[in-house]
Amino acid sequence: MKNLLIAMVFMALVACGNSLTNKEKQEYATKGNEISQATFKVLSEKLTEQMKLGGPTQAIPFCNVEALPLTQQLSEKFNVTIKRTSDKLRNQQNKPSERELEMINNFHKLISEKQEIKPVVEVDNNNKQHYYAPIILKANCLACHGKVDEFVSVKTDSIINSLYPNDKAIGYNEGDLRGIWSITFE
Ligand code: HEC
């Protein structure tokens, strides 16, 4: 009985040590929002530039080569690990962890129940503060993630397939959940 009590107190202490106060959650949510928005801005500015220069034919190979190094540079700048991931992947290097997949499924569920979706902050398995936020598809994403022959031209589709033979990130509608931002604080 005594041992059980000690074990329970110990577990409660460990649990408390791992949880964040509301104030901390709020702070990490604000930081996470800033970092994800800054990353989105860099990626989308570069992408728009390439789209203007040569349409999807030019922009897709650019993303293929540059998206991850750009994200890596921003991770270093903010001293965090920035990841974009999805349940329907284009780039296998963006593969979700088990927890990330749970987050994505949970956001899907909330959307289907017409509930508000907002970023989640928690302490992860590695005892790090972790931020997750939904990535919603916008109209200007459709040229590369929309329905083939409607938004994605047949030519674009064949470029995507040549670079990403296992591509699943196609056929989306505007407003769909495309994936999540997953940011680990150091
Ligand atoms: C010019 C084509 C193009 C456009 C436009 C585009 N993407 Fe992508 N997207 C790609 C390519 C190529 C990749 C794979 C390379 C990478 O980013 O790792 C990708 C990857 C992603 C990923 C990472 C997950 C995965 O499946 O690999 C997310 C999330 C994403 N795109 C969201 C968006 C959103 C949101 C928009 C609109 C704001 C958008 N994309 C617009 C081509 C595009």
Side-chain angles (χ1 to χ4, degrees):
M1 182 62 197
K2 201 177 157 203
N3 281 349
L4 183 68
L5 204 66
I6 292 171
M8 278 167 70
V9 170
F10 180 72
M11 273 157 69
L13 285 174
V14 170
C16 287
N18 272 352
S19 68
L20 294 160
T21 64
N22 279 343
K23 187 165 171 272
E24 283 168 326
K25 278 191 183 173
Q26 200 36 262
E27 281 166 10
Y28 283 106
T30 307
K31 278 193 222 169
N33 290 343
E34 279 166 15
I35 295 168
S36 56
Q37 276 160 25
T39 310
F40 177 75
K41 191 161 175 272
V42 170
L43 289 176
S44 70
E45 272 171 11
K46 302 263 180 196
L47 184 77
T48 312
E49 199 178 287
Q50 298 296 317
M51 286 289 268
K52 277 195 190 129
L53 286 171
T57 332
Q58 175 148 343
I60 293 167
F62 170 83
C63 287
N64 177 248
V65 177
E66 294 296 338
L68 281 168
L70 280 170
T71 312
Q72 175 66 26
Q73 275 170 29
L74 288 153
S75 291
E76 282 163 23
K77 180 178 164 195
F78 291 110
N79 196 27
V80 295
T81 305
I82 307 168
K83 183 174 169 191
R84 290 175 316 147
T85 185
S86 177
D87 51 342
K88 295 208 280 174
L89 281 179
R90 174 150 296 169
N91 188 345
Q92 291 298 325
Q93 291 184 60
N94 299 323
K95 214 171 154 188
S97 67
E98 224 172 279
R99 187 62 182 147
E100 284 165 342
L101 204 54
E102 275 171 19
M103 285 289 164
I104 295 171
N105 289 334
N106 201 37
F107 283 133
H108 276 304
K109 188 167 163 275
L110 291 173
I111 291 172
S112 72
E113 290 165 354
K114 303 218 169 0
Q115 292 196 50
E116 191 194 352
I117 46 169
K118 47 184 185 201
V120 174
V121 175
E122 65 178 23
V123 177
D124 67 19
N125 288 341
N126 300 317
N127 223 3
K128 300 257 169 81
Q129 280 80 5
H130 207 126
Y131 164 98
Y132 306 88
I135 300 178
I136 303 293
L137 208 100
K138 304 208 180 81
N140 63 348
C141 317
L142 291 173
C144 299
H145 295 295
K147 295 204 168 84
V148 181
D149 228 7
E150 191 177 340
F151 293 101
V152 179
S153 71
V154 173
K155 188 174 169 208
T156 300
D157 188 42
S158 76
I159 300 169
I160 293 173
N161 283 321
S162 67
L163 289 169
Y164 306 98
N166 296 317
D167 179 47
K168 301 270 183 299
I170 204 128
Y172 283 95
N173 294 307
E174 198 180 336
D176 283 350
L177 181 72
R178 168 70 182 89
I180 56 168
W181 292 102
S182 171
I183 300 177
T184 319
F185 292 90
E186 289 312 317

